[in-house]
Amino acid sequence: MHPRVSLSAISTFSWELDSDLAFYADAAITNVGISAAKLEQFGWQDGTRRVVDAGLRVTNLIGLGPFHLAEPDRWDAQRERVVSALDAATAVGAECVVFTTGPAGPLPWEEAADALEAALAPVLHEARSRDVPFAIEHTNSLRVDIGFVHTLADAIDLARRLDASVCMEVNACWAERGLADTITAGGDRLRLVQVSDYAVGTLSTPNRLVPGDGDIPLERILGQVLAAGYGGCFDLELIGPRIEEEGYGPACRRSVERLTEMLESLGA
């Protein structure tokens, strides 16, 4: 497997942890993103042990949020879950954790950012004490249920404010104005880059495609990311009806092959 290609457990969304691990062994998938929800469902300790025993390189642990930013009385319970995920991330040697901000509810953007800073302060301290990078992921603007940060530029600005990192979701930012300049200026904050494709005219979300099956100019964007000095992994995060229709196994295998070809053609 290409050392800079990773497969997220989101790509096999409805499979449980055991099925994921069996597939990774069969398909020679060695670099993976682990789902916090799947670990939690399996049992934090038992699930973590299974991942460690599988000998996988864990490029990220995803799914720590969301915080409900307009409801501070819920923050303590949400922090406890994040700390459990940090325990797991430390045990499996995760190279970063990925976090969606949570919904702003009735709060304006600026107040939501203030609330996020307050909610995350002890969590970020804990992550730093464990030397686990904490990456904020921006989300599609239709997904206000999981986040209020919907552009890469805003994610980078917020990450600088919090002294955190960024997970760049290509599917959510590929058409942004000034994307190349944003990548260049914020390259030092990029910790993970999520890759999938999208067909213009799709009116549902999430409805992602295998890289190369859609309309995102992936090679151009990946080239911009590499030119900005990014040295991390490109994490395949596939989800939606087209992936379900093809089947997780075939879609994941094709995606690994396609992304490998793209990165090799770019000299990564």
Side-chain angles (χ1 to χ4, degrees):
M1 188 176 189
H2 192 287
R4 298 188 68 178
V5 172
S6 173
L7 179 67
S8 172
I10 303 301
S11 302
T12 53
F13 188 77
S14 66
W15 283 358
E16 296 184 352
L17 180 63
D18 273 345
S19 296
D20 283 347
L21 296 178
F23 173 66
Y24 300 153
D26 181 65
I29 303 294
T30 57
N31 311 327
V32 299
I34 297 296
S35 161
K38 293 185 182 186
L39 285 181
E40 189 174 35
Q41 183 182 39
F42 197 89
W44 286 112
Q45 291 185 342
D46 289 345
T48 298
R49 177 181 51 79
R50 291 296 306 277
V51 173
V52 171
D53 289 348
L56 297 163
R57 175 189 174 192
V58 180
T59 63
N60 66 95
L61 190 148
I62 194 168
L64 307 191
F67 276 72
H68 293 267
L69 298 172
E71 303 175 51
D73 58 320
R74 301 177 64 177
W75 292 355
D76 282 343
Q78 291 157 351
R79 288 180 183 129
E80 288 178 9
R81 183 171 185 268
V82 174
V83 171
S84 293
L86 286 173
D87 288 340
T90 302
V92 302
E95 296 170 15
C96 69
V97 296
V98 178
F99 175 83
T100 51
T101 63
L107 300 177
W109 199 99
E110 294 78 8
E111 290 182 20
D114 291 342
L116 180 67
E117 184 172 19
L120 282 185
V123 171
L124 288 174
H125 176 77
E126 183 69 22
R128 292 184 191 111
S129 73
R130 298 165 182 250
D131 198 27
V132 177
F134 204 91
I136 296 171
E137 179 184 354
H138 58 102
T139 59
N140 185 296
S141 60
L142 291 175
R143 296 305 309 272
V144 294
D145 57 316
I146 60 172
F148 72 92
V149 179
H150 303 304
T151 69
L152 177 62
D154 280 346
I156 290 170
D157 286 348
L158 188 57
R160 291 197 191 284
R161 171 177 171 176
L162 301 178
D163 193 21
S165 300
V166 171
C167 171
M168 174 183 172
E169 171 54 87
V170 173
N171 207 289
C173 71
W174 67 277
E176 278 184 33
R177 177 186 179 190
L179 181 61
D181 290 340
T182 298
I183 292 169
T184 298
D188 62 312
R189 289 287 159 176
L190 298 183
R191 189 69 196 191
L192 189 71
V193 176
Q194 292 177 339
V195 180
S196 60
D197 215 333
Y198 168 84
V200 171
T202 301
L203 301 179
S204 61
T205 188
N207 194 349
R208 302 178 181 181
L209 305 179
V210 169
D213 283 2
D215 297 301
I216 298 179
L218 286 171
E219 289 200 41
R220 185 194 78 200
I221 294 170
L222 298 183
Q224 292 165 348
V225 171
L226 292 169
Y230 175 70
C233 272
F234 296 86
D235 194 44
L236 289 158
E237 192 184 68
L238 315 164
I239 187 170
R242 293 280 291 273
I243 302 302
E244 298 277 350
E245 179 182 349
E246 179 172 352
Y248 292 151
C252 289
R253 291 174 190 268
R254 283 205 304 125
S255 295
V256 169
E257 292 173 359
R258 291 274 185 84
L259 184 54
T260 295
E261 291 170 359
M262 290 180 186
L263 292 177
E264 288 179 345
S265 73
L266 292 167

